[in-house]
Amino acid sequence: MVKVLMIEDDEELAEILSEYLQRFNIETVNVPDPFLGLSELETESFDLVILDLSLPGMDGLEVCEQIRRRSDIPIVISSARSDLTDKIVGLEKGADDYLPKPYDPRELVARIKTILRRIGRENQRNDDEKSHADLRIDNETKMIYFKGEPLHLTAAEYGILAYLLEHANEVVSREDLIYNVDAIHEESSLKSIDVIISRIRHKLGDNPKQPRYIRSVRGLGYRLIP
């Protein structure tokens, strides 16, 4: 069962939402006070936070910022404040979604499920990266290590290999690489991607006929084997 912390001072609304979410196996713990909410996060484990903005004692945007300093838990802001600035600031402070009141509870359920699916995919992707025996990426230094030694890569080679690592064991098309790797110009040809892949394979000592790391998927693109 999914466990959600709801920081909402409208206790009648919180009860209605809690009862509705329960039908979808979402357990809700509601606290009307932002300080109690922050305390709950310190002592209990939750999968997601639903956060109102108009709270007693502390503005919800400040609460959002404090939560994000302590944790990467997903945050859905649920607020009657419809000002665009509040939405932008909330997202900038680390919220994952912003749902203006009033709304249909079904939409809240849908958004919770969407966020948790995304988080699940990202966690799985991170697990794939960590489990790769020979390749490791250091996001801070923008270096990729192969069997413990740094690879000397061009910006395009680094971008492509980092993207393949991020999507380990997934088929990645040449178009995906063109549009998602900053160092690749959007007008680049598909053939140029093949050339860069060939150079990366050479630096990995990978045999294109029997690849250990980067496999070609006929008609689709490439796949990095974790």
Side-chain angles (χ1 to χ4, degrees):
M1 177 176 283
V2 174
K3 189 174 181 181
V4 168
L5 174 65
M6 186 184 305
I7 306 176
E8 168 63 70
D9 66 336
D10 184 338
E11 297 189 47
E12 182 179 354
L13 172 63
E15 184 177 352
I16 292 171
L17 290 175
S18 296
E19 291 178 357
Y20 187 82
L21 294 174
Q22 184 74 30
R23 294 162 51 186
F24 298 88
N25 290 321
I26 300 173
E27 177 189 354
T28 306
V29 175
N30 181 60
V31 291
D33 181 276
F35 299 98
L36 291 176
L38 292 172
S39 179
E40 282 284 337
L41 284 172
E42 294 289 339
T43 57
E44 299 290 336
S45 177
F46 296 95
D47 298 299
L48 183 140
V49 175
I50 300 171
L51 175 64
D52 186 24
L53 292 187
S54 300
L55 295 167
M58 184 188 305
D59 187 77
L61 293 174
E62 174 63 23
V63 178
C64 181
E65 187 172 17
Q66 290 206 26
I67 293 173
R68 189 53 72 233
R69 286 176 189 164
R70 308 175 190 188
S71 170
D72 60 358
I73 187 170
I75 302 170
V76 176
I77 290 177
S78 163
S79 177
R81 282 156 52 174
S82 58
D83 186 76
L84 180 60
T85 301
D86 283 329
K87 180 176 183 179
I88 293 171
V89 173
L91 295 173
E92 288 177 342
K93 288 183 180 292
D96 295 84
D97 206 344
Y98 192 106
L99 195 56
K101 299 175 183 174
Y103 53 80
D104 190 315
R106 290 177 296 179
E107 184 176 3
L108 177 61
V109 172
R111 296 201 186 201
I112 290 172
K113 289 183 175 180
T114 297
I115 290 172
L116 294 180
R117 278 199 304 268
R118 173 175 58 80
I119 297 298
R121 286 197 300 268
E122 290 176 354
N123 289 340
Q124 180 60 51
R125 189 174 297 153
N126 289 337
D127 289 342
D128 289 341
E129 289 179 24
K130 292 173 185 175
S131 67
H132 201 292
D134 296 332
L135 286 163
R136 179 177 66 84
I137 185 168
D138 186 327
N139 288 314
E140 291 188 4
T141 62
K142 300 297 183 184
M143 293 290 295
I144 296 178
Y145 294 83
F146 177 58
K147 296 183 177 179
E149 296 295 325
L151 286 171
H152 299 288
L153 303 170
T154 66
E157 291 166 356
Y158 170 85
I160 286 179
L161 186 52
Y163 191 84
L164 290 172
L165 274 166
E166 183 182 352
H167 297 269
N169 212 30
E170 298 177 16
V171 177
V172 175
S173 71
R174 295 167 178 83
E175 291 85 356
D176 286 335
L177 294 170
I178 289 174
Y179 293 116
N180 289 287
V181 176
D182 291 339
I184 304 293
H185 196 278
E186 289 189 1
E187 295 180 1
S188 299
S189 67
L190 300 183
K191 183 63 178 176
S192 67
I193 300 298
D194 295 335
V195 172
I196 298 171
I197 291 286
S198 178
R199 295 204 305 258
I200 295 171
R201 279 174 167 161
H202 178 73
K203 293 181 180 182
L204 297 176
D206 212 4
N207 181 353
K209 294 182 179 179
Q210 293 181 316
R212 165 66 184 83
Y213 302 105
I214 302 175
R215 292 185 183 172
S216 299
V217 181
R218 185 182 296 274
L220 296 176
Y222 296 97
R223 181 160 61 98
L224 182 74
I225 306 303

